[in-house]
Amino acid sequence: SIVLPGSVISIGKLAFYASEIESIVLPDGLRSMPLGIFQQCQNLTSVTLGSDCEALSDYCFDGCPLQHLYVNAVIPPVCQSNTFSGARNIFADCILHVPAESLPIYRNHSTWKLFQHIKIIEATSIWLSHLDVTAVPPHWNNSDIIVARLCQCGGTVIYYT
């Protein structure tokens, strides 16, 4: 599993060609996926694209057995005609995870609607002890709350139980 740091804003074509990676999380600042970035990564089952992703080049997932594709971009990234070429049964077998507010857009998009399984990206569960308690609303009784839910919505952090 690889998590690229937020400082990465560019990756070269075929960057992970035929590597053994199983999952990868790409940073928000990475706006485009170059030609064949994950081509022939035969163990790659999960990819997370950042919120600023705007474009996917040809053969990005050629030969990948993706099971989960997380696209954090509110506006669906532009796909080339061969973005998903060579990714056997990707539209039937891979679950596409998208932001809640964008679900209808992805379901009606000419390319993204081809995914048979499109789900909303779930909010992350975190323990209250890991929160900055100064950010918790003052009316919350901290002793009664075990787990809080965190959701990023347009730059505003919303806590709810």
Side-chain angles (χ1 to χ4, degrees):
S1 182
I2 296 174
V3 177
L4 294 181
S7 58
V8 175
I9 58 170
S10 176
I11 295 181
K13 63 183 177 180
L14 302 169
F16 295 97
Y17 182 84
S19 72
E20 298 293 320
I21 61 172
E22 295 175 7
S23 68
I24 188 165
V25 176
L26 300 168
D28 288 335
L30 191 59
R31 295 188 183 278
S32 64
M33 301 302 111
L35 176 77
I37 185 171
F38 302 116
Q39 197 169 20
Q40 300 306 316
C41 291
Q42 297 179 1
N43 297 318
L44 186 60
T45 59
S46 179
V47 172
T48 301
L49 304 177
S51 60
D52 294 337
C53 184
E54 297 173 347
L56 299 170
S57 296
D58 287 329
Y59 307 106
C60 283
F61 306 106
D62 177 27
C64 299
L66 274 187
Q67 296 171 4
H68 297 277
L69 178 57
Y70 296 86
V71 183
N72 289 305
V74 174
I75 299 171
V78 173
C79 296
Q80 299 300 314
S81 59
N82 290 311
T83 294
F84 298 105
S85 291
R88 294 177 302 264
N89 301 319
I90 192 169
F91 298 120
D93 297 341
C94 180
I95 300 170
L96 175 64
H97 303 265
V98 301
E101 65 270 26
S102 301
L103 185 61
I105 300 169
Y106 279 87
R107 283 193 170 151
N108 290 304
H109 188 277
S110 61
T111 301
W112 295 103
K113 73 178 182 183
L114 298 174
F115 282 87
Q116 295 174 18
H117 309 284
I118 304 176
K119 295 186 176 185
I120 294 171
I121 295 173
E122 297 294 327
T124 305
S125 293
I126 56 177
W127 293 102
L128 187 59
S129 61
H130 293 115
L131 291 176
D132 175 2
V133 292
T134 60
V136 176
H139 64 277
W140 281 15
N141 181 343
N142 291 348
S143 63
D144 294 336
I145 300 169
I146 298 172
V147 176
R149 303 284 262 161
L150 174 65
C151 175
Q152 278 284 25
C153 301
T156 304
V157 177
I158 301 170
Y159 298 99
Y160 61 96
T161 58

Short mmCIF file of all heavy atoms in Angstrom, two decimals, residues 116-147:
data_model
loop_
_atom_site.label_atom_id
_atom_site.label_comp_id
_atom_site.label_asym_id
_atom_site.label_seq_id
_atom_site.Cartn_x
_atom_site.Cartn_y
_atom_site.Cartn_z
N GLN A 116 -21.21 -0.24 -12.96
CA GLN A 116 -22.48 -0.80 -12.50
C GLN A 116 -22.71 -0.61 -11.01
O GLN A 116 -23.84 -0.71 -10.53
CB GLN A 116 -22.55 -2.28 -12.87
CG GLN A 116 -22.58 -2.50 -14.36
CD GLN A 116 -22.51 -3.97 -14.75
OE1 GLN A 116 -22.76 -4.85 -13.95
NE2 GLN A 116 -22.15 -4.22 -16.01
N HIS A 117 -21.63 -0.35 -10.28
CA HIS A 117 -21.72 -0.17 -8.83
C HIS A 117 -21.08 1.17 -8.46
O HIS A 117 -19.87 1.29 -8.47
CB HIS A 117 -21.00 -1.31 -8.10
CG HIS A 117 -21.41 -2.67 -8.56
ND1 HIS A 117 -22.61 -3.24 -8.20
CD2 HIS A 117 -20.78 -3.54 -9.37
CE1 HIS A 117 -22.70 -4.43 -8.78
NE2 HIS A 117 -21.61 -4.64 -9.49
N ILE A 118 -21.93 2.16 -8.16
CA ILE A 118 -21.45 3.48 -7.76
C ILE A 118 -21.99 3.75 -6.37
O ILE A 118 -23.20 3.70 -6.14
CB ILE A 118 -21.89 4.59 -8.74
CG1 ILE A 118 -21.44 4.26 -10.17
CG2 ILE A 118 -21.34 5.94 -8.29
CD1 ILE A 118 -21.91 5.26 -11.21
N LYS A 119 -21.07 4.04 -5.44
CA LYS A 119 -21.46 4.27 -4.05
C LYS A 119 -20.91 5.59 -3.56
O LYS A 119 -19.95 6.13 -4.11
CB LYS A 119 -20.93 3.14 -3.16
CG LYS A 119 -21.54 1.79 -3.46
CD LYS A 119 -21.10 0.76 -2.46
CE LYS A 119 -21.81 -0.57 -2.73
NZ LYS A 119 -21.49 -1.55 -1.72
N ILE A 120 -21.51 6.07 -2.49
CA ILE A 120 -21.07 7.30 -1.85
C ILE A 120 -19.87 6.99 -0.97
O ILE A 120 -19.85 5.97 -0.27
CB ILE A 120 -22.21 7.90 -1.00
CG1 ILE A 120 -23.35 8.35 -1.92
CG2 ILE A 120 -21.72 9.03 -0.12
CD1 ILE A 120 -24.61 8.74 -1.17
N ILE A 121 -18.88 7.88 -0.99
CA ILE A 121 -17.73 7.74 -0.10
C ILE A 121 -18.23 7.96 1.32
O ILE A 121 -18.84 8.99 1.62
CB ILE A 121 -16.62 8.75 -0.45
CG1 ILE A 121 -16.05 8.43 -1.84
CG2 ILE A 121 -15.51 8.73 0.61
CD1 ILE A 121 -15.07 9.46 -2.36
N GLU A 122 -17.99 7.00 2.18
CA GLU A 122 -18.45 7.07 3.57
C GLU A 122 -17.58 8.03 4.37
O GLU A 122 -16.39 8.17 4.12
CB GLU A 122 -18.39 5.68 4.21
CG GLU A 122 -19.32 4.66 3.55
CD GLU A 122 -20.79 4.99 3.73
OE1 GLU A 122 -21.16 5.56 4.78
OE2 GLU A 122 -21.57 4.68 2.82
N ALA A 123 -18.20 8.67 5.36
CA ALA A 123 -17.45 9.53 6.28
C ALA A 123 -16.51 8.65 7.11
O ALA A 123 -16.78 7.47 7.31
CB ALA A 123 -18.42 10.27 7.20
N THR A 124 -15.44 9.22 7.59
CA THR A 124 -14.45 8.49 8.36
C THR A 124 -14.81 8.50 9.84
O THR A 124 -15.09 9.54 10.40
CB THR A 124 -13.06 9.14 8.19
OG1 THR A 124 -12.77 9.21 6.80
CG2 THR A 124 -11.98 8.35 8.88
N SER A 125 -14.81 7.33 10.46
CA SER A 125 -15.02 7.25 11.90
C SER A 125 -13.70 7.50 12.61
O SER A 125 -12.68 6.95 12.23
CB SER A 125 -15.53 5.86 12.30
OG SER A 125 -16.81 5.64 11.80
N ILE A 126 -13.72 8.34 13.63
CA ILE A 126 -12.52 8.61 14.40
C ILE A 126 -12.88 8.67 15.88
O ILE A 126 -14.01 8.97 16.24
CB ILE A 126 -11.84 9.93 13.97
CG1 ILE A 126 -12.82 11.09 14.08
CG2 ILE A 126 -11.26 9.83 12.59
CD1 ILE A 126 -12.21 12.43 13.75
N TRP A 127 -11.93 8.38 16.72
CA TRP A 127 -12.16 8.44 18.16
C TRP A 127 -12.11 9.89 18.62
O TRP A 127 -11.29 10.67 18.17
CB TRP A 127 -11.12 7.61 18.90
CG TRP A 127 -11.27 6.16 18.63
CD1 TRP A 127 -10.53 5.40 17.78
CD2 TRP A 127 -12.28 5.30 19.15
NE1 TRP A 127 -10.99 4.12 17.74
CE2 TRP A 127 -12.07 4.04 18.57
CE3 TRP A 127 -13.34 5.47 20.04
CZ2 TRP A 127 -12.88 2.93 18.88
CZ3 TRP A 127 -14.13 4.37 20.33
CH2 TRP A 127 -13.90 3.13 19.76
N LEU A 128 -12.99 10.24 19.54
CA LEU A 128 -13.07 11.60 20.05
C LEU A 128 -11.73 12.05 20.64
O LEU A 128 -11.37 13.21 20.54
CB LEU A 128 -14.18 11.72 21.10
CG LEU A 128 -14.49 13.11 21.61
CD1 LEU A 128 -14.90 14.01 20.46
CD2 LEU A 128 -15.56 13.06 22.66
N SER A 129 -10.99 11.13 21.23
CA SER A 129 -9.72 11.50 21.84
C SER A 129 -8.72 12.02 20.82
O SER A 129 -7.76 12.70 21.17
CB SER A 129 -9.11 10.29 22.57
OG SER A 129 -8.87 9.25 21.65
N HIS A 130 -8.95 11.73 19.53
CA HIS A 130 -8.05 12.20 18.48
C HIS A 130 -8.49 13.54 17.90
O HIS A 130 -7.82 14.10 17.06
CB HIS A 130 -7.93 11.17 17.36
CG HIS A 130 -7.24 9.92 17.80
ND1 HIS A 130 -7.88 8.72 17.85
CD2 HIS A 130 -5.99 9.70 18.25
CE1 HIS A 130 -7.05 7.80 18.29
NE2 HIS A 130 -5.90 8.37 18.55
N LEU A 131 -9.64 14.03 18.35
CA LEU A 131 -10.12 15.32 17.84
C LEU A 131 -9.50 16.47 18.62
O LEU A 131 -9.14 16.33 19.79
CB LEU A 131 -11.65 15.41 18.01
CG LEU A 131 -12.49 14.51 17.13
CD1 LEU A 131 -13.96 14.67 17.51
CD2 LEU A 131 -12.30 14.81 15.67
N ASP A 132 -9.43 17.59 18.00
CA ASP A 132 -9.06 18.82 18.69
C ASP A 132 -10.31 19.26 19.44
O ASP A 132 -11.27 19.74 18.84
CB ASP A 132 -8.64 19.88 17.66
CG ASP A 132 -8.35 21.22 18.30
OD1 ASP A 132 -8.43 21.35 19.54
OD2 ASP A 132 -8.04 22.15 17.53
N VAL A 133 -10.32 19.04 20.75
CA VAL A 133 -11.55 19.29 21.51
C VAL A 133 -11.99 20.74 21.48
O VAL A 133 -13.13 21.03 21.78
CB VAL A 133 -11.42 18.79 22.98
CG1 VAL A 133 -11.34 17.30 23.02
CG2 VAL A 133 -10.25 19.43 23.67
N THR A 134 -11.10 21.65 21.12
CA THR A 134 -11.51 23.05 21.01
C THR A 134 -12.44 23.24 19.82
O THR A 134 -13.15 24.23 19.75
CB THR A 134 -10.30 23.98 20.86
OG1 THR A 134 -9.58 23.62 19.68
CG2 THR A 134 -9.39 23.89 22.08
N ALA A 135 -12.41 22.28 18.87
CA ALA A 135 -13.24 22.38 17.69
C ALA A 135 -14.60 21.72 17.89
O ALA A 135 -15.49 21.86 17.08
CB ALA A 135 -12.54 21.76 16.49
N VAL A 136 -14.76 20.98 18.97
CA VAL A 136 -16.03 20.29 19.24
C VAL A 136 -17.02 21.31 19.79
O VAL A 136 -16.68 22.13 20.65
CB VAL A 136 -15.81 19.15 20.26
CG1 VAL A 136 -17.13 18.50 20.62
CG2 VAL A 136 -14.86 18.12 19.69
N PRO A 137 -18.25 21.30 19.29
CA PRO A 137 -19.25 22.25 19.78
C PRO A 137 -19.37 22.21 21.30
O PRO A 137 -19.36 21.11 21.89
CB PRO A 137 -20.54 21.78 19.11
CG PRO A 137 -20.08 21.07 17.88
CD PRO A 137 -18.78 20.42 18.25
N PRO A 138 -19.48 23.36 21.96
CA PRO A 138 -19.47 23.42 23.42
C PRO A 138 -20.63 22.69 24.08
O PRO A 138 -20.51 22.26 25.21
CB PRO A 138 -19.51 24.92 23.72
CG PRO A 138 -19.94 25.57 22.46
CD PRO A 138 -19.59 24.66 21.34
N HIS A 139 -21.74 22.50 23.37
CA HIS A 139 -22.89 21.83 23.98
C HIS A 139 -22.73 20.31 24.03
O HIS A 139 -23.54 19.63 24.64
CB HIS A 139 -24.19 22.21 23.25
CG HIS A 139 -24.23 21.76 21.82
ND1 HIS A 139 -23.64 22.49 20.81
CD2 HIS A 139 -24.76 20.67 21.24
CE1 HIS A 139 -23.82 21.86 19.66
NE2 HIS A 139 -24.50 20.75 19.90
N TRP A 140 -21.68 19.77 23.41
CA TRP A 140 -21.43 18.33 23.48
C TRP A 140 -20.87 17.99 24.84
O TRP A 140 -19.97 18.65 25.34
CB TRP A 140 -20.43 17.89 22.42
CG TRP A 140 -21.01 17.75 21.05
CD1 TRP A 140 -22.19 18.22 20.59
CD2 TRP A 140 -20.40 17.09 19.95
NE1 TRP A 140 -22.36 17.91 19.28
CE2 TRP A 140 -21.26 17.21 18.86
CE3 TRP A 140 -19.19 16.42 19.79
CZ2 TRP A 140 -20.98 16.68 17.62
CZ3 TRP A 140 -18.90 15.89 18.55
CH2 TRP A 140 -19.79 16.01 17.48
N ASN A 141 -21.38 16.93 25.43
CA ASN A 141 -20.84 16.43 26.68
C ASN A 141 -19.82 15.36 26.32
O ASN A 141 -20.18 14.25 25.94
CB ASN A 141 -21.97 15.85 27.55
CG ASN A 141 -21.47 15.34 28.87
OD1 ASN A 141 -20.28 15.12 29.05
ND2 ASN A 141 -22.38 15.16 29.81
N ASN A 142 -18.54 15.68 26.39
CA ASN A 142 -17.48 14.78 25.95
C ASN A 142 -17.53 13.42 26.61
O ASN A 142 -17.12 12.42 26.03
CB ASN A 142 -16.11 15.42 26.19
CG ASN A 142 -15.85 16.59 25.27
OD1 ASN A 142 -16.59 16.80 24.31
ND2 ASN A 142 -14.83 17.37 25.56
N SER A 143 -18.02 13.31 27.83
CA SER A 143 -18.06 12.02 28.50
C SER A 143 -19.11 11.09 27.90
O SER A 143 -19.04 9.89 28.07
CB SER A 143 -18.32 12.20 30.00
OG SER A 143 -19.60 12.80 30.18
N ASP A 144 -20.10 11.66 27.19
CA ASP A 144 -21.17 10.86 26.60
C ASP A 144 -20.87 10.44 25.17
O ASP A 144 -21.58 9.62 24.61
CB ASP A 144 -22.50 11.63 26.60
CG ASP A 144 -22.99 11.88 28.00
OD1 ASP A 144 -22.61 11.12 28.91
OD2 ASP A 144 -23.76 12.85 28.17
N ILE A 145 -19.85 11.02 24.56
CA ILE A 145 -19.57 10.77 23.15
C ILE A 145 -18.35 9.87 23.04
O ILE A 145 -17.28 10.20 23.53
CB ILE A 145 -19.34 12.08 22.38
CG1 ILE A 145 -20.60 12.94 22.50
CG2 ILE A 145 -18.99 11.79 20.93
CD1 ILE A 145 -20.38 14.34 22.02
N ILE A 146 -18.52 8.73 22.41
CA ILE A 146 -17.40 7.81 22.24
C ILE A 146 -16.78 7.98 20.87
O ILE A 146 -15.58 8.08 20.72
CB ILE A 146 -17.86 6.35 22.45
CG1 ILE A 146 -18.39 6.18 23.87
CG2 ILE A 146 -16.73 5.39 22.15
CD1 ILE A 146 -19.05 4.86 24.11
N VAL A 147 -17.61 8.02 19.86
CA VAL A 147 -17.11 8.13 18.50
C VAL A 147 -17.81 9.30 17.81
O VAL A 147 -19.01 9.50 17.96
CB VAL A 147 -17.38 6.84 17.70
CG1 VAL A 147 -16.94 6.99 16.26
CG2 VAL A 147 -16.66 5.66 18.33
#
